[in-house]
Amino acid sequence: MAVVGVLALQGSFNEHIAGKLHLFSLRKIGVKGIEIRKPEQLRDVTSLIIPGGESTTMAKLAELHNLFPALREFVKMGRPVWGTCAGLIFLANKATGQKTGGQQLVGGLDCTVHRNFFGSQIQSFEAELPVPELASKEGGPETFRGIFIRAPAILEVGPEVQVLADFPVPSKRLLGSDPSLEDQKENDEEESKVIVAVRQGNTLGTAFHPELTADTRWHSYFLKMGNEITEAASRSCVPVEVSVCHKQPPQNDLPIFQ
């Protein structure tokens, strides 16, 4: 059984490991999830998920437990790391829209993330996202129903970052989130796009919450990143077989983003 670490300081770590409401969980696809709260626990895993939650609180707890040096080293070693929502903020090299004083970042993704780009908790929503790369690798529909809860968005990416999903927004929303685009105001009635899923090497980031759906393709995609390292270390190892399920999730109460 594959073993995946899940940072368990705060947020939706249990949704990744055990699942709730009969939705996705690592356990259901034959993968063991280990809660990570101390630096030394990272030695027991080859891949790591940093879940959604309240990014400022998570950062304070990570500082308290002296986790940042170990997390940065884990990423630098090229081990697979996936950040969802707040986890994406953690992995970004730069974050804007932060609270006074900001927060520490792990880094590793050459991108700029805007914290809470889509608004507050009551402005959470669901949307169908075109995911051609995911569909090509994992099969299933050409779209993925993303659940955005007090979600960030990626404003810019570096040349080595692969965009896996983006989402249309009015240009005036994008302008309001980035003062450096002030000279483009004449186009503020046009439609722009923000990026909501990226990959750079073995680092993956999504602004939404795949663990709250019944579609396992993002987790399968991430686990295969880990299998690549295992296979390289030992050709005698048998790759983990992941049961991919992309049935529609139960109806939620979140609105469609307008």
Side-chain angles (χ1 to χ4, degrees):
M1 177 181 287
V3 179
V4 177
V6 182
L7 192 66
L9 300 176
Q10 186 266 346
S12 61
F13 59 89
N14 193 55
E15 281 76 2
H16 282 282
I17 295 173
K20 288 184 178 181
L21 302 177
H22 307 290
L23 297 179
F24 172 83
S25 71
L26 290 169
R27 187 180 299 166
K28 288 181 181 178
I29 59 171
V31 177
K32 183 178 180 180
I34 294 180
E35 296 181 5
I36 302 294
R37 293 186 176 89
K38 298 178 180 180
E40 58 268 25
Q41 293 175 312
L42 289 169
R43 301 171 191 156
D44 300 326
V45 298
T46 56
S47 58
L48 177 71
I49 296 174
I50 304 178
E54 211 293 319
S55 63
T56 305
T57 300
M58 289 171 64
K60 289 179 179 178
L61 290 170
E63 286 185 62
L64 179 66
H65 293 284
N66 195 33
L67 267 162
F68 276 106
L71 290 170
R72 291 177 183 132
E73 183 63 23
F74 196 92
V75 173
K76 287 179 181 178
M77 291 174 65
R79 295 184 177 182
V81 182
W82 176 18
T84 63
C85 197
L88 167 63
I89 298 171
F90 257 50
L91 291 175
N93 285 350
K94 181 181 178 182
T96 63
Q98 299 199 64
K99 294 180 179 179
T100 303
Q103 67 180 70
Q104 282 202 61
L105 302 174
V106 173
L109 279 174
D110 184 12
C111 66
T112 300
V113 171
H114 189 283
R115 185 180 182 272
N116 292 353
F117 176 87
F118 291 105
S120 65
Q121 192 84 8
I122 62 172
Q123 292 168 301
S124 300
F125 67 97
E126 297 180 23
E128 293 292 334
L129 306 171
V131 286
E133 170 71 9
L134 185 70
S136 172
K137 294 290 180 66
E138 302 300 329
E142 290 292 323
T143 61
F144 182 91
R145 192 164 184 83
I147 297 177
F148 294 80
I149 302 175
R150 201 179 174 194
I154 300 169
L155 306 181
E156 295 178 339
V157 297
E160 296 182 1
V161 176
Q162 180 183 10
V163 175
L164 301 178
D166 54 29
F167 186 72
V169 295
S171 292
K172 58 186 177 182
R173 271 185 83 88
L174 192 56
L175 293 172
S177 69
D178 189 349
S180 68
L181 302 177
E182 217 36 48
D183 58 346
Q184 300 180 21
K185 278 193 174 179
E186 64 270 16
N187 299 320
D188 65 1
E189 295 304 318
E190 297 179 1
E191 188 175 79
S192 298
K193 289 183 178 181
V194 291
I195 300 165
V196 293
V198 293
R199 178 178 178 179
Q200 183 178 359
N202 279 329
T203 305
L204 179 67
T206 57
F208 45 92
H209 290 265
E211 77 281 5
L212 299 182
T213 77
D215 189 334
T216 67
R217 288 179 295 165
W218 282 106
H219 286 79
S220 174
Y221 183 87
F222 175 67
L223 290 169
K224 287 175 182 176
M225 290 165 53
N227 286 343
E228 291 168 7
I229 287 185
T230 302
E231 290 171 5
S234 174
R235 294 296 177 183
S236 63
C237 291
V238 178
V240 175
E241 296 206 2
V242 179
S243 175
V244 179
C245 173
H246 41 74
K247 62 186 177 180
Q248 290 296 318
Q251 185 65 41
N252 289 285
D253 295 327
L254 300 179
I256 302 302
F257 180 76
Q258 300 292 335

